[in-house]
Amino acid sequence: MEALGGYPVKYSGPKVKRLTVLLSMTVGIGCLFLLQTQLLKPRKPADFYSFEVKDAKGRTLSLEKFRGKASLVVNVASHSEQTEAAYRSLQELHRELGTSHFNVLAFPCGQFGDTETGTSSYIEAFAKSTYGVTFPFFAKIKIMGSEAEPAFKFLTDSVQKVPKWNFWKFLVNPEGKVVRFWRADEPVESIRQEVAAMVREIILKKRAEL
């Protein structure tokens, strides 16, 4: 085959087709890889109840079991100056409002001096035998720094505050959003009023859905 002017031109039709097919396959494989990467990428939990944590015995537990209830999440300690008063008031609140609509959730933390030095199972046993608590205990965690427990970090990120001592309290609504927090030295009565109001809302909503 000759082009204008008499110069020969090689016919490369099949080569062009093969190159086009190869490029199409490469692009297709690349798109599939990117799609798979996005699908396999772990999703960031959208709320507190979307997390999994360890219980005091080291077993994995989904916080999903508490969805639909109000939760008062507390970083507890066995040997703080506030331990006795805090445990007794928390247990009273837990018993008073009942577990059908509300729970105190205790997360031991050993980042504040020597106020929490035992193992998770010992901490739970000590609190139950000494103060008669019946609310759920979880594994001892860190709440500050790069090793902070993700579920608890969700709480602190939500309010833009990190506990500076033991027994800070975070109120989580039935949808898993943090609506309020209290420092250790704030009166229990204000906590009781707000938690009780949330529990009433949950009960009324459930009755309306019947």
Side-chain angles (χ1 to χ4, degrees), residues 59 80 85 108 112 119 138 146 157 166 180 182 186 193:
R59 299 170 299 194
S80 172
F112 300 109
T119 63
F138 299 92
S146 60
D157 285 350
N166 308 298
R180 179 82 188 271
W182 293 269
E186 295 187 72
Q193 290 175 0

Side-chain angles (χ1 to χ4, degrees), residues 6-79:
Y7 295 100
V9 176
K10 292 183 179 179
Y11 178 68
S12 56
K15 289 184 179 179
V16 172
K17 287 181 180 179
R18 284 197 295 272
L19 183 59
T20 302
V21 171
L22 184 61
L23 286 172
S24 299
M25 289 176 64
T26 303
V27 171
I29 291 170
C31 290
L32 286 172
F33 176 76
L34 289 173
L35 180 61
Q36 184 181 33
T37 301
Q38 290 299 314
L39 289 173
L40 293 177
K41 186 178 180 180
R43 295 181 180 180
K44 185 178 181 180
D47 60 74
F48 180 70
Y49 299 128
S50 299
F51 287 89
E52 288 187 343
V53 295
K54 298 286 187 182
D55 68 10
K57 295 178 177 61
R59 299 170 299 194
T60 300
L61 174 73
S62 173
L63 293 172
E64 193 69 34
K65 67 178 292 185
F66 300 106
R67 186 177 296 280
K69 303 179 183 182
S71 298
L72 191 66
V73 188
V74 190
N75 61 302
V76 301
S78 302
H79 306 292

Side-chain angles (χ1 to χ4, degrees), residues 130-152:
T130 308
Y131 303 108
V133 302
T134 59
F135 45 80
F137 268 74
F138 299 92
K140 187 163 70 172
I141 63 168
K142 292 183 178 180
I143 61 178
M144 300 179 291
S146 60
E147 296 181 75
E149 166 63 43
F152 212 95

Side-chain angles (χ1 to χ4, degrees), residues 28 48 96 101 106 110 118:
F48 180 70
E96 197 177 290
H101 311 293

Side-chain angles (χ1 to χ4, degrees), residues 168-182:
W168 279 42
K169 303 159 190 78
F170 298 81
L171 181 58
V172 179
N173 70 13
E175 291 75 42
K177 304 300 182 185
V178 186
V179 297
R180 179 82 188 271
F181 79 95
W182 293 269

